Amino acid sequence: MEFKVRSYRFNPEVDTQAYYKEYAIQDFPGMTVLNALMKIKYELDGTLSFRRSCRSAICGSCAMKINGITKLACKTQVKPEIMKFGIVNVEPLANMPVVRDLIVDQEGFFDTIKAIKPYLLTEGENEELSGFKTLKEGEKIKQPVYSREQFKNLTGNNDTPNCILCECCYSECNGVSGNKKYLGPAALAKLYRYSEDPRDNDRDVSRLLNGSKPDGMWDCVHCQACEEFCPKGISPVKAIVRLHEKTIKNSITSTPGAKHVVSIAQSIKKTGKLDEAKVALGTAGIAGVIRDLPVVISAALKGKMPPLKLEPIKNMDDVKLAYKELGLEEK
Ligand code: SF4
């Protein structure tokens, strides 16, 4: 069967703007999008540029947008794409500048990984490590099984390897779309992984403080796109939620994001309702509310004023019971 591949093309050395070019090629049983791109490159147009390496969904190099959805080209069969869309449309990943054709500049993404210090920090005393003091030089310190269990399915599990740094989640992340400085899902999932490793001496405070900085964990918008588009079955958003919980449990609550969550919980605990006025005050403080007054006034003039006093709902006993069951009645 002959089918068409329509590729995004842009060479900054000669093109003033991007364009699309179509190629007609013959398929073969089991042909992947990466097979099709390699056929184009070797037989039709050697100038088409894209990244690839392992061809086995292990290296993550060939991530790109295929018919509008971020996927690995080596893991995506041509036939279902043709049956659904009638064409294979390929474009570079989003949220990163294009270097050429389907190749993006990965520096910003890898800066986010570097920012969370993706290695064990073992300076100082550590009970977990003291048992290993007799190890010979070069011997590995194994991670305890119980700690591994805490983040399986969130950064990879026994059936699927760990994060391959393919950037699919980063490309689809709505938080990154709105703020290019946001750490993003892959980096925050890694931060959670190290925050749960008992061999790491910075796991409880320093790492959580690092992740709580502006553009960090509290900028997640919980859209869950990272989980939906990860080709390795990882759920960065669940790791981020665990980071939030752990941060609040460790009383790191001075950031606007943490204050927002604590204010919402307190509002529901007192009234069973979301008291937007109090939540705004609890999150931003009086100075923040004064700063945002023009927005508040503009919303009020359009009839969007939250009630200034909320009466508790009738079945507050159920709410209290829920807080008790969750072990939150003292907070
Ligand atoms: Fe890719 Fe998944 Fe890792 Fe994100 S979390 S970089 S989508 S493997």
Side-chain angles (χ1 to χ4, degrees):
M1 170 188 77
E2 187 179 276
F3 70 98
K4 282 194 177 145
V5 174
R6 183 171 178 267
S7 178
Y8 178 99
R9 302 296 313 263
F10 178 64
N11 177 354
E13 287 171 12
V14 293
D15 299 325
T16 51
Q17 61 179 38
Y19 63 98
Y20 288 83
K21 189 168 177 183
E22 285 190 4
Y23 304 91
I25 57 173
Q26 285 293 131
D27 78 342
F28 56 74
M31 185 185 226
T32 64
V33 173
L34 183 59
N35 290 144
L37 291 173
M38 288 168 80
K39 202 168 162 65
I40 292 168
K41 183 152 183 90
Y42 297 141
E43 297 174 15
L44 301 175
D45 183 351
T47 66
L48 180 64
S49 302
F50 52 92
R51 284 198 178 98
R52 84 277 183 272
S53 184
C54 75
R55 294 175 294 174
S56 309
I58 293 170
C59 74
S61 305
C62 64
M64 60 185 69
K65 278 190 172 275
I66 300 169
N67 287 323
I69 292 176
T70 302
K71 296 177 179 179
L72 297 181
C74 68
K75 205 183 167 196
T76 307
Q77 300 264 313
V78 159
K79 199 170 174 188
E81 295 294 322
I82 297 296
M83 284 170 68
K84 190 166 179 191
F85 299 99
I87 194 166
V88 175
N89 194 64
V90 285
E91 294 167 307
L93 294 176
N95 289 336
M96 285 164 275
V98 176
V99 175
R100 180 167 170 161
D101 297 341
L102 303 171
I103 298 175
V104 292
D105 182 348
Q106 301 173 308
E107 198 173 343
F109 172 77
F110 282 103
D111 281 348
T112 68
I113 303 290
K114 278 187 223 156
I116 61 99
K117 301 184 182 168
Y119 39 82
L120 288 176
L121 297 165
T122 56
E123 285 293 311
E125 287 301 310
N126 181 316
E127 277 177 28
E128 195 71 36
L129 290 175
S130 63
F132 297 102
K133 288 254 162 79
T134 52
L135 285 177
K136 292 187 199 107
E137 200 178 326
E139 269 185 308
K140 285 183 185 163
I141 301 168
K142 286 187 184 159
Q143 182 175 33
V145 172
Y146 77 85
S147 119
R148 173 82 184 147
E149 288 291 311
Q150 275 167 308
F151 54 79
K152 81 175 186 185
N153 299 326
L154 305 180
T155 57
N157 59 30
N158 294 336
D159 304 320
T160 56
N162 282 327
C163 173
I164 55 171
L165 300 173
C166 66
E167 302 155 344
C168 287
C169 57
Y170 193 78
S171 168
E172 295 286 346
C173 176
N174 289 296
V176 176
S177 298
N179 173 16
K180 293 288 181 289
K181 290 186 192 160
Y182 170 45
L183 282 177
L188 287 168
K190 264 195 199 309
L191 178 63
Y192 175 67
R193 176 251 176 278
Y194 285 98
S195 82
E196 285 294 356
D197 194 319
R199 299 168 299 174
D200 191 281
N201 268 359
D202 281 24
R203 65 190 181 281
D204 278 340
V205 178
S206 299
R207 285 200 183 271
L208 299 176
L209 282 171
N210 189 22
S212 296
K213 286 180 192 164
D215 313 313
M217 67 171 90
W218 296 106
D219 279 20
C220 172
V221 296
H222 301 114
C223 64
Q224 317 211 10
C226 53
E227 178 178 313
E228 186 179 347
F229 295 101
C230 174
K232 304 309 281 186
I234 293 167
S235 175
V237 66
K238 288 199 181 84
I240 295 169
V241 169
R242 294 260 185 102
L243 267 181
H244 289 166
E245 290 168 356
K246 200 170 173 189
T247 301
I248 288 175
K249 272 190 196 142
N250 278 274
S251 303
I252 302 170
T253 50
S254 59
T255 57
K259 282 183 187 167
H260 189 65
V261 170
V262 171
S263 302
I264 288 173
Q266 283 174 348
S267 165
I268 294 174
K269 188 181 170 190
K270 276 190 191 145
T271 61
K273 297 174 183 169
L274 184 61
D275 187 337
E276 291 179 52
K278 282 204 179 130
V279 168
L281 195 62
T283 304
I286 291 178
V289 171
I290 292 172
R291 185 198 59 218
D292 293 339
L293 259 186
V295 179
V296 176
I297 292 167
S298 163
L301 290 174
K302 291 184 170 67
K304 292 186 183 292
M305 192 67 192
L308 294 175
K309 187 166 176 6
L310 283 184
E311 292 302 325
I313 60 170
K314 284 188 190 134
N315 43 352
M316 272 307 290
D317 285 348
D318 289 352
V319 176
K320 282 182 190 153
L321 185 63
Y323 271 70
K324 194 174 173 198
E325 290 290 313
L326 290 166
L328 299 169
E329 73 272 30
E330 298 304 327
K331 295 185 180 138

